[in-house]
Amino acid sequence: MKEGFRQSMAWLHTWSGLLVGWVLFLVFSAGTAAYYRDEITFWMQPELHAASRTPAPQADALAHGVDFLQRRGPESPRWFITLPTEREPTVRVFWSGPPPPPAAPGEQRRRTRFENAALDPASGEVASAARATRGGEFIYRLHFDLHYIPTLWARWIVGFCAMFMLVAIVSGIVTHKRIFKDFFTFRPKKGQRSWLDAHNATAVLALPYHLMITYTGLVTLMFMYMPWGPQVAYKDHGGIDAFFADVFPSGGPRDAKASGRHAALAPLAPMLARARAHWDGAPAGRIVVSHPNDAGATVSISRQEGRGLSQNQPSMLFDGTSGALLSTAGDAPRAAAETRGVLYGLHIARFSDPLLRALFFVAGLAGCLMVATGLLLWAVKERQTYAKVLKRGGRIGFGLRLVDGLNLGNIAGVPIAFGAYFWANRLVPVGIDERAAVEIRWFFIAWGAALLAGLARPTRRMWQLQLGIGALLFAGLPLLNALTTATHLGVSLRTGLWPVAGFDLVALALGLGLGAAAWITGRVRHKAKPAAAARAVEAAP
Amino acid sequence: MSRSKLGVASRAVAAIGGGYALGGLSAAVLALWLPTTPAEAALTGTLASFVVYVCAVMWVFAARTASRAWIGLAVPAALLGVLLLAGLSGSIA
């Protein structure tokens, strides 16, 4: 019975892992990159590289933001001002356009238009018009919203895959008899054994991370996936909206209505000072002004992220015309709310210092490798069942061929897609219509081509070719940056422009890893030994 | 362990649909019955529901036959259903 249980868990691990593996590889890749979405966005807007990075007092930065918004969007129903941080040196302002007309029944609600700008915190100047790009935001959204399909579907697809990832991880642990001993075992050039060892090593190496990131990923969208708890608990207490008001007591902005009477906006500096004093001097992060220049204006100030593990940040709400404090929220969160906040915070890792973030990034790469080696292991195992057929000159089955093609087009193709996206950022002319969408299109053109080529010819030579293309694209990024901006590695390293230098160096390292994978794949091509490719894939992101 | 195609399909439905139902039921029951504020109870129930889901999926594929798998889901689901109804009628009264 004991052995039977382990076998059935092995079966469950194999199949749940295989069926969601390809989506997971994309989700893991995008999620890993998204740890650095601020840096990626900054790299993708070279016009901002020259902006002054003299840190300015928060009150000055805020005043510049308000001045700018008074000029550009005095009628806007809502302003968002994000004060500079160490990772994002500009003042980011967003403001919403007038609300869209009510949608006809059955029609999807039209979205409010948002505009944004980046300001120099010291001078208040618009930090020169940056090129239109979605930057790291595209990658962050890709991680859970995918692209080109409705957000709601995408989130259910990703959630389903995450759920079965969790099943695969737990059943994988159960399957594993000697989990720690096996971790120290690597038997290269032994075919299937080597793949298994590579899969074990990458999985066990970062096992706490894999479990944490999968579960907390579900937690980030849990009210959508599992709304039943709040619905039942609040059935007679005002429904789901009352639940959210209880759990996220951010107060006014969401429900406050405009009065329609004009009133001058009170100065924000005293509110900022009061909020910071309340948080023992911790810096403020985001300021939301609702209905500016209206008698019903409110100002919400939240503490800057990164002061604690939890995603929940305390906030204070002020009257926008008198400057009086209306309410404080989130100073003493309750246990379950804080648990959720910490789980959420762990997933998006906005709290972490550079070293911890780097560790998360490496663990994320290990996750990509775990998924990749798992997918390849399935194909290697399955191929053995065709050993006799192949010897007689027969052909492999449709299922295996499909898996081979999808493996190739994803594991080697997703790096190509990311590479193409970054290259497009520098090569697509600045100022064309829909420029940001064009960059994204290149991501999918490159990936689509890699998938088609992989499905058409899932051969070792194709692996070598695609890994090689990915290697060139990534390793070439520092060169591309040098040719298209004034902030090449020589400059960025010397002046301490870490987001740009870091991007270049990590791209180079990933390119070298992919190159090593391509080289090893090619070196053993004639031997057709899967073992070496195991090591090859291990080196690839 | 014989794995007929029908058996696997039946288990897959049990795991995906039945597991979700069991997870959702446990979230609702915990939200109703945990002795704390409604917000805290609902949050705890929701956080726990994914663990219940994983356990349910593993049970479905560990059970000796597909019908045993279904029974193993149906019994706790029925118990949770009773608790849910009891809690709901209690909250109305």
Side-chain angles (χ1 to χ4, degrees), chain A residues 50-54 56 60-61 64-65 84 89-92 118-128:
Chain A
S52 89
R53 280 178 308 284
T54 30
D60 293 358
H64 290 313
T90 57
V91 186
R92 294 268 173 178
L119 310 177
D120 185 314
S123 68
E125 298 293 317
V126 177
S128 72

Side-chain angles (χ1 to χ4, degrees), chain A residues 121-168:
Chain A
S123 68
E125 298 293 317
V126 177
S128 72
R131 64 188 58 197
T133 178
R134 295 284 310 283
E137 189 68 16
F138 160 68
I139 296 170
Y140 170 69
R141 291 275 156 189
L142 181 68
H143 173 60
F144 55 94
D145 282 352
L146 307 178
H147 205 75
Y148 295 134
I149 61 170
T151 305
L152 198 66
W153 293 16
R155 290 181 180 189
W156 276 104
I157 292 169
V158 172
F160 180 85
C161 292
M163 191 61 222
F164 282 85
M165 167 98 186
L166 197 56
V167 167

